[in-house]
Amino acid sequence: MLRNVNRVLVALAGVLLVALGAAVLIGSFGLQRRWGLALPSAWPFDGAHDVLLTLAEQRRWRGRGWWWPVVIAALAAVTLLALAWLLVQARRRRLRHLVVDSGEDDVVVVRGRALEDVLAAEAGALDGVDHAAVTLGGRRTAPEARIVLTLAPHAAPAAALHRLLAEVLQQARTSAGLARLPAEVHLRAVRHGAERVG
């Protein structure tokens, strides 16, 4: 969900900045006259010395009592939205603790980093896996795993993925008492130099 919101916001900001940059370039270089473009009458920049607000427009807007409060409120709202978005991005997405149902009345809390390390060690020990990195996210009672497997040159990706699902994740579900442990697995190939044959 957050990833989709980020993509939409970045796309909108990109479109807005490209449109504004195109408007400035077309106006400042006089490209509309050179290329014979018919631009809308509301086009903000018409020439190299054109400005967004002329002196007459500045005087007219200054005379209205609501102008500066609206401008300041709009800029403050944009700043606050940008800061809120930045804080959401900086928020830690890692699961700090995991609640394990012991089957009795007691609840056991396991550090998320400890389970990540165990999963990474077991996944890294699989045949054909050169390195494994695991990050746990989600909620304390419903964790989600993000696993990156770096495969050795001789590895069979389907076999490594099957063993990861059937052995490593199944054992993690059983030991943590989880009904399910959704996992997003990314497979990468280890970088190695070309070998000379013959």
Side-chain angles (χ1 to χ4, degrees):
M1 172 74 180
L2 183 61
R3 186 178 297 173
N4 293 334
V5 171
N6 283 342
R7 287 179 180 162
V8 169
L9 287 176
V10 168
L12 288 175
V15 167
L16 182 67
L17 290 173
V18 166
L20 183 62
V24 170
L25 286 176
I26 288 172
S28 63
F29 289 117
L31 298 179
Q32 72 274 21
R33 290 186 194 90
R34 289 184 193 171
W35 294 344
L37 296 174
L39 297 175
S41 60
W43 194 260
F45 304 104
D46 193 34
H49 301 291
D50 204 1
V51 292
L52 189 58
L53 289 174
T54 63
L55 284 174
E57 289 172 334
Q58 289 177 27
R59 286 191 198 102
R60 182 175 58 128
W61 288 114
R62 266 190 234 143
R64 312 214 175 192
W66 56 268
W67 169 248
W68 286 115
V70 168
V71 169
I72 291 171
L75 291 175
V78 168
T79 303
L80 288 175
L81 284 172
L83 285 174
W85 187 29
L86 183 63
L87 287 174
V88 168
Q89 303 310 311
R91 188 181 66 192
R92 294 183 64 163
R93 293 188 182 142
R94 278 194 141 146
L95 188 63
R96 288 178 165 239
H97 297 95
L98 175 69
V99 175
V100 177
D101 186 9
S102 63
E104 300 173 2
D105 292 337
D106 297 332
V107 174
V108 178
V109 177
V110 178
R111 282 185 39 234
R113 185 63 67 100
L115 186 56
E116 287 175 355
D117 292 342
V118 169
L119 284 171
E122 290 182 0
L126 293 175
D127 185 40
V129 176
D130 189 63
H131 177 72
V134 178
T135 305
L136 288 177
R139 292 175 291 134
R140 291 170 51 154
T141 55
E144 300 171 357
R146 184 178 186 278
I147 303 170
V148 178
L149 294 182
T150 304
L151 301 178
H154 69 278
L161 184 60
H162 176 72
R163 288 192 64 196
L164 174 75
L165 297 175
E167 297 174 18
V168 177
L169 288 177
Q170 180 60 40
Q171 185 176 356
R173 276 193 296 268
T174 304
S175 61
L178 298 170
R180 54 190 301 269
L181 178 59
E184 177 183 327
V185 182
H186 296 266
L187 300 178
R188 295 182 181 161
V190 68
R191 294 176 185 260
H192 60 92
E195 295 179 5
R196 201 175 282 263
V197 178

